[in-house]
Short mmCIF file of all heavy atoms in Angstrom, two decimals:
data_model
loop_
_atom_site.label_atom_id
_atom_site.label_comp_id
_atom_site.label_asym_id
_atom_site.label_seq_id
_atom_site.Cartn_x
_atom_site.Cartn_y
_atom_site.Cartn_z
N ILE A 22 106.91 96.73 68.59
CA ILE A 22 107.55 96.88 69.89
C ILE A 22 106.72 96.23 70.99
O ILE A 22 107.24 95.52 71.86
CB ILE A 22 107.79 98.37 70.20
CG1 ILE A 22 108.83 98.95 69.23
CG2 ILE A 22 108.25 98.56 71.63
CD1 ILE A 22 109.01 100.44 69.35
N ALA A 23 105.40 96.46 70.96
CA ALA A 23 104.53 95.91 72.00
C ALA A 23 104.54 94.39 71.99
O ALA A 23 104.65 93.75 73.05
CB ALA A 23 103.10 96.43 71.81
N PHE A 24 104.44 93.81 70.79
CA PHE A 24 104.45 92.35 70.70
C PHE A 24 105.78 91.79 71.18
O PHE A 24 105.83 90.79 71.91
CB PHE A 24 104.21 91.92 69.24
CG PHE A 24 104.05 90.43 69.07
CD1 PHE A 24 102.79 89.86 69.07
CD2 PHE A 24 105.16 89.61 68.92
CE1 PHE A 24 102.64 88.48 68.92
CE2 PHE A 24 105.01 88.24 68.77
CZ PHE A 24 103.75 87.68 68.77
N THR A 25 106.89 92.43 70.79
CA THR A 25 108.22 91.94 71.18
C THR A 25 108.41 91.99 72.69
O THR A 25 108.95 91.04 73.28
CB THR A 25 109.31 92.79 70.49
OG1 THR A 25 109.15 92.69 69.07
CG2 THR A 25 110.70 92.30 70.87
N ILE A 26 107.96 93.08 73.32
CA ILE A 26 108.09 93.18 74.78
C ILE A 26 107.29 92.08 75.47
O ILE A 26 107.78 91.43 76.40
CB ILE A 26 107.63 94.57 75.25
CG1 ILE A 26 108.60 95.64 74.77
CG2 ILE A 26 107.50 94.60 76.77
CD1 ILE A 26 108.15 97.06 75.05
N GLY A 27 106.06 91.88 75.00
CA GLY A 27 105.24 90.82 75.60
C GLY A 27 105.84 89.45 75.38
O GLY A 27 105.90 88.61 76.29
N ALA A 28 106.32 89.19 74.16
CA ALA A 28 106.86 87.87 73.83
C ALA A 28 108.15 87.57 74.59
O ALA A 28 108.48 86.41 74.85
CB ALA A 28 107.12 87.79 72.33
N ALA A 29 108.87 88.62 74.95
CA ALA A 29 110.14 88.41 75.67
C ALA A 29 109.91 87.81 77.05
O ALA A 29 110.80 87.15 77.59
CB ALA A 29 110.88 89.74 75.79
N ILE A 30 108.73 88.01 77.64
CA ILE A 30 108.47 87.51 79.00
C ILE A 30 108.55 85.99 79.06
O ILE A 30 109.34 85.44 79.84
CB ILE A 30 107.11 88.03 79.50
CG1 ILE A 30 107.16 89.55 79.69
CG2 ILE A 30 106.71 87.34 80.81
CD1 ILE A 30 105.84 90.17 80.08
N PRO A 31 107.77 85.25 78.24
CA PRO A 31 107.92 83.78 78.31
C PRO A 31 109.24 83.28 77.74
O PRO A 31 109.77 82.27 78.19
CB PRO A 31 106.72 83.28 77.48
CG PRO A 31 106.40 84.40 76.56
CD PRO A 31 106.69 85.64 77.33
N LEU A 32 109.78 83.99 76.75
CA LEU A 32 111.01 83.52 76.11
C LEU A 32 112.19 83.57 77.09
O LEU A 32 113.00 82.64 77.14
CB LEU A 32 111.31 84.37 74.88
CG LEU A 32 112.55 83.97 74.07
CD1 LEU A 32 112.42 82.52 73.59
CD2 LEU A 32 112.72 84.91 72.88
N LEU A 33 112.28 84.63 77.86
CA LEU A 33 113.40 84.76 78.80
C LEU A 33 113.37 83.69 79.89
O LEU A 33 114.41 83.35 80.45
CB LEU A 33 113.39 86.15 79.44
CG LEU A 33 113.73 87.32 78.50
CD1 LEU A 33 113.58 88.65 79.21
CD2 LEU A 33 115.16 87.18 77.96
N MET A 34 112.18 83.18 80.19
CA MET A 34 112.06 82.15 81.22
C MET A 34 112.80 80.86 80.85
O MET A 34 113.20 80.09 81.71
CB MET A 34 110.58 81.82 81.49
CG MET A 34 109.79 82.99 82.06
SD MET A 34 110.44 83.65 83.61
CE MET A 34 111.27 85.14 83.02
N VAL A 35 112.96 80.64 79.55
CA VAL A 35 113.65 79.43 79.08
C VAL A 35 115.11 79.43 79.53
O VAL A 35 115.70 78.38 79.79
CB VAL A 35 113.56 79.33 77.54
CG1 VAL A 35 114.37 78.15 77.02
CG2 VAL A 35 112.11 79.23 77.12
N PHE A 36 115.69 80.61 79.64
CA PHE A 36 117.12 80.72 79.92
C PHE A 36 117.43 80.84 81.41
O PHE A 36 118.60 80.99 81.78
CB PHE A 36 117.70 81.94 79.18
CG PHE A 36 117.54 81.85 77.69
CD1 PHE A 36 116.53 82.55 77.05
CD2 PHE A 36 118.40 81.06 76.94
CE1 PHE A 36 116.38 82.48 75.67
CE2 PHE A 36 118.26 80.99 75.56
CZ PHE A 36 117.25 81.69 74.93
N LEU A 37 116.42 80.77 82.26
CA LEU A 37 116.70 80.84 83.69
C LEU A 37 117.51 79.61 84.12
O LEU A 37 117.23 78.48 83.70
CB LEU A 37 115.40 80.90 84.49
CG LEU A 37 114.60 82.20 84.40
CD1 LEU A 37 113.35 82.10 85.27
CD2 LEU A 37 115.44 83.40 84.84
N PRO A 38 118.52 79.81 84.97
CA PRO A 38 119.37 78.69 85.37
C PRO A 38 118.76 77.80 86.45
O PRO A 38 119.43 76.90 86.97
CB PRO A 38 120.63 79.40 85.91
CG PRO A 38 120.12 80.70 86.43
CD PRO A 38 118.99 81.10 85.52
N PHE A 39 117.53 78.03 86.82
CA PHE A 39 116.90 77.23 87.86
C PHE A 39 115.46 76.91 87.44
O PHE A 39 114.88 77.57 86.58
CB PHE A 39 116.89 77.98 89.20
CG PHE A 39 116.25 79.33 89.13
CD1 PHE A 39 114.87 79.49 89.25
CD2 PHE A 39 117.03 80.47 88.91
CE1 PHE A 39 114.29 80.74 89.17
CE2 PHE A 39 116.44 81.73 88.84
CZ PHE A 39 115.07 81.86 88.96
N GLY A 40 114.92 75.87 88.06
CA GLY A 40 113.54 75.51 87.80
C GLY A 40 113.35 74.82 86.46
O GLY A 40 114.30 74.54 85.73
N ARG A 41 112.09 74.58 86.12
CA ARG A 41 111.72 73.95 84.85
C ARG A 41 111.16 75.02 83.90
O ARG A 41 110.40 75.89 84.35
CB ARG A 41 110.69 72.85 85.07
CG ARG A 41 111.19 71.71 85.93
CD ARG A 41 110.06 70.76 86.26
NE ARG A 41 109.41 70.27 85.06
CZ ARG A 41 108.24 69.62 85.06
NH1 ARG A 41 107.60 69.44 86.20
NH2 ARG A 41 107.73 69.19 83.93
N PRO A 42 111.52 74.95 82.61
CA PRO A 42 111.05 75.97 81.67
C PRO A 42 109.53 76.13 81.66
O PRO A 42 109.03 77.26 81.60
CB PRO A 42 111.56 75.47 80.32
CG PRO A 42 112.75 74.65 80.66
CD PRO A 42 112.45 73.99 81.97
N VAL A 43 108.80 75.01 81.74
CA VAL A 43 107.34 75.09 81.68
C VAL A 43 106.79 75.82 82.90
O VAL A 43 105.93 76.70 82.79
CB VAL A 43 106.72 73.68 81.58
CG1 VAL A 43 105.21 73.76 81.74
CG2 VAL A 43 107.07 73.05 80.25
N VAL A 44 107.30 75.48 84.07
CA VAL A 44 106.81 76.11 85.31
C VAL A 44 107.20 77.58 85.34
O VAL A 44 106.38 78.45 85.66
CB VAL A 44 107.38 75.38 86.54
CG1 VAL A 44 106.95 76.10 87.82
CG2 VAL A 44 106.90 73.93 86.57
N ASN A 45 108.44 77.87 84.99
CA ASN A 45 108.90 79.27 84.98
C ASN A 45 108.07 80.11 84.02
O ASN A 45 107.67 81.24 84.33
CB ASN A 45 110.37 79.34 84.57
CG ASN A 45 111.29 78.72 85.61
OD1 ASN A 45 110.91 78.58 86.77
ND2 ASN A 45 112.50 78.36 85.20
N THR A 46 107.82 79.54 82.84
CA THR A 46 107.05 80.26 81.83
C THR A 46 105.62 80.49 82.31
O THR A 46 105.06 81.59 82.16
CB THR A 46 107.04 79.49 80.50
OG1 THR A 46 108.37 79.36 80.03
CG2 THR A 46 106.20 80.21 79.46
N ALA A 47 105.00 79.46 82.88
CA ALA A 47 103.61 79.57 83.34
C ALA A 47 103.47 80.67 84.39
O ALA A 47 102.54 81.48 84.33
CB ALA A 47 103.14 78.23 83.89
N VAL A 48 104.38 80.71 85.34
CA VAL A 48 104.31 81.72 86.40
C VAL A 48 104.47 83.12 85.81
O VAL A 48 103.71 84.05 86.13
CB VAL A 48 105.40 81.46 87.47
CG1 VAL A 48 105.45 82.62 88.45
CG2 VAL A 48 105.12 80.16 88.20
N ALA A 49 105.48 83.27 84.94
CA ALA A 49 105.73 84.59 84.34
C ALA A 49 104.56 85.05 83.48
O ALA A 49 104.19 86.23 83.48
CB ALA A 49 107.01 84.55 83.51
N VAL A 50 103.98 84.11 82.75
CA VAL A 50 102.86 84.46 81.86
C VAL A 50 101.64 84.88 82.66
O VAL A 50 100.96 85.86 82.31
CB VAL A 50 102.53 83.28 80.93
CG1 VAL A 50 101.18 83.48 80.26
CG2 VAL A 50 103.61 83.13 79.88
N VAL A 51 101.33 84.17 83.74
CA VAL A 51 100.19 84.55 84.56
C VAL A 51 100.38 85.95 85.13
O VAL A 51 99.44 86.78 85.12
CB VAL A 51 99.98 83.52 85.69
CG1 VAL A 51 98.97 84.05 86.72
CG2 VAL A 51 99.48 82.21 85.12
N LEU A 52 101.58 86.24 85.59
CA LEU A 52 101.85 87.58 86.11
C LEU A 52 101.74 88.64 85.00
O LEU A 52 101.18 89.72 85.21
CB LEU A 52 103.25 87.63 86.72
CG LEU A 52 103.44 86.83 88.02
CD1 LEU A 52 104.90 86.87 88.46
CD2 LEU A 52 102.55 87.37 89.13
N GLY A 53 102.28 88.31 83.82
CA GLY A 53 102.20 89.25 82.70
C GLY A 53 100.77 89.50 82.26
O GLY A 53 100.37 90.63 81.98
N LEU A 54 99.95 88.44 82.21
CA LEU A 54 98.55 88.57 81.81
C LEU A 54 97.76 89.35 82.86
O LEU A 54 96.85 90.12 82.52
CB LEU A 54 97.93 87.20 81.60
CG LEU A 54 98.48 86.40 80.41
CD1 LEU A 54 97.88 85.01 80.39
CD2 LEU A 54 98.18 87.12 79.10
N PHE A 55 98.10 89.14 84.12
CA PHE A 55 97.46 89.92 85.18
C PHE A 55 97.74 91.41 84.96
O PHE A 55 96.83 92.24 85.04
CB PHE A 55 98.00 89.48 86.55
CG PHE A 55 97.42 90.25 87.70
CD1 PHE A 55 96.29 89.80 88.37
CD2 PHE A 55 98.00 91.45 88.13
CE1 PHE A 55 95.75 90.51 89.44
CE2 PHE A 55 97.46 92.18 89.18
CZ PHE A 55 96.33 91.70 89.84
N LEU A 56 98.99 91.73 84.66
CA LEU A 56 99.38 93.13 84.48
C LEU A 56 98.71 93.75 83.26
O LEU A 56 98.17 94.86 83.35
CB LEU A 56 100.90 93.22 84.35
CG LEU A 56 101.49 94.63 84.25
CD1 LEU A 56 101.15 95.43 85.50
CD2 LEU A 56 102.99 94.57 84.05
N THR A 57 98.73 93.06 82.11
CA THR A 57 98.11 93.63 80.91
C THR A 57 96.60 93.75 81.06
O THR A 57 96.00 94.71 80.57
CB THR A 57 98.44 92.79 79.66
OG1 THR A 57 98.05 91.42 79.88
CG2 THR A 57 99.93 92.82 79.35
N GLY A 58 95.98 92.79 81.73
CA GLY A 58 94.54 92.89 81.97
C GLY A 58 94.20 94.08 82.86
O GLY A 58 93.24 94.81 82.61
N TRP A 59 95.02 94.28 83.88
CA TRP A 59 94.82 95.40 84.81
C TRP A 59 94.98 96.74 84.08
O TRP A 59 94.17 97.65 84.24
CB TRP A 59 95.82 95.28 85.95
CG TRP A 59 95.70 96.37 86.98
CD1 TRP A 59 96.25 97.61 86.94
CD2 TRP A 59 94.98 96.31 88.21
NE1 TRP A 59 95.94 98.33 88.06
CE2 TRP A 59 95.15 97.57 88.86
CE3 TRP A 59 94.21 95.33 88.84
CZ2 TRP A 59 94.57 97.85 90.09
CZ3 TRP A 59 93.64 95.62 90.08
CH2 TRP A 59 93.82 96.85 90.68
N ILE A 60 96.04 96.84 83.28
CA ILE A 60 96.31 98.11 82.59
C ILE A 60 95.23 98.41 81.56
O ILE A 60 94.74 99.54 81.46
CB ILE A 60 97.70 98.07 81.91
CG1 ILE A 60 98.80 98.01 82.97
CG2 ILE A 60 97.90 99.30 81.03
CD1 ILE A 60 100.19 97.82 82.40
N SER A 61 94.85 97.42 80.75
CA SER A 61 93.84 97.66 79.71
C SER A 61 92.51 98.06 80.32
O SER A 61 91.81 98.94 79.80
CB SER A 61 93.67 96.42 78.82
OG SER A 61 93.22 95.32 79.58
N ALA A 62 92.13 97.43 81.44
CA ALA A 62 90.88 97.79 82.11
C ALA A 62 90.96 99.20 82.69
O ALA A 62 90.00 99.96 82.63
CB ALA A 62 90.56 96.79 83.21
N THR A 63 92.12 99.54 83.25
CA THR A 63 92.29 100.88 83.82
C THR A 63 92.19 101.95 82.74
O THR A 63 91.55 102.98 82.93
CB THR A 63 93.66 100.98 84.52
OG1 THR A 63 93.72 100.00 85.57
CG2 THR A 63 93.86 102.37 85.12
N LEU A 64 92.83 101.71 81.59
CA LEU A 64 92.78 102.67 80.49
C LEU A 64 91.36 102.82 79.95
O LEU A 64 90.96 103.91 79.56
CB LEU A 64 93.72 102.24 79.37
CG LEU A 64 95.22 102.30 79.68
CD1 LEU A 64 96.02 101.71 78.54
CD2 LEU A 64 95.66 103.74 79.94
N GLY A 65 90.63 101.72 79.92
CA GLY A 65 89.26 101.77 79.42
C GLY A 65 88.24 102.11 80.48
O GLY A 65 87.04 102.14 80.20
N LYS A 66 88.71 102.37 81.72
CA LYS A 66 87.83 102.70 82.84
C LYS A 66 86.76 101.63 83.04
O LYS A 66 85.59 101.92 83.30
CB LYS A 66 87.18 104.07 82.63
CG LYS A 66 88.19 105.22 82.58
CD LYS A 66 87.52 106.57 82.41
CE LYS A 66 88.55 107.69 82.37
NZ LYS A 66 87.93 109.02 82.19
N ALA A 67 87.19 100.37 82.90
CA ALA A 67 86.30 99.23 83.08
C ALA A 67 86.66 98.52 84.39
O ALA A 67 87.75 98.73 84.94
CB ALA A 67 86.44 98.27 81.90
#
């Protein structure tokens, strides 16, 4: 479930009706990585 949820973020960007897939994916991935990094650090009290 965790892998599928994460993988859906860049995959869904391909189907956006605007922009370029590479740019859309890059933006979404950076935001997703920011969020997972923040959460993992918070859980580990780091």
Side-chain angles (χ1 to χ4, degrees):
I22 293 173
F24 186 94
T25 300
I26 291 173
I30 293 175
L32 182 59
L33 291 175
M34 296 302 102
V35 175
F36 299 101
L37 289 181
F39 55 85
R41 297 172 56 193
V43 171
V44 176
N45 293 340
T46 299
V48 172
V50 166
V51 169
L52 291 175
L54 292 175
F55 179 92
L56 184 60
T57 55
W59 181 276
I60 294 174
S61 62
T63 300
L64 292 174
K66 297 182 180 179

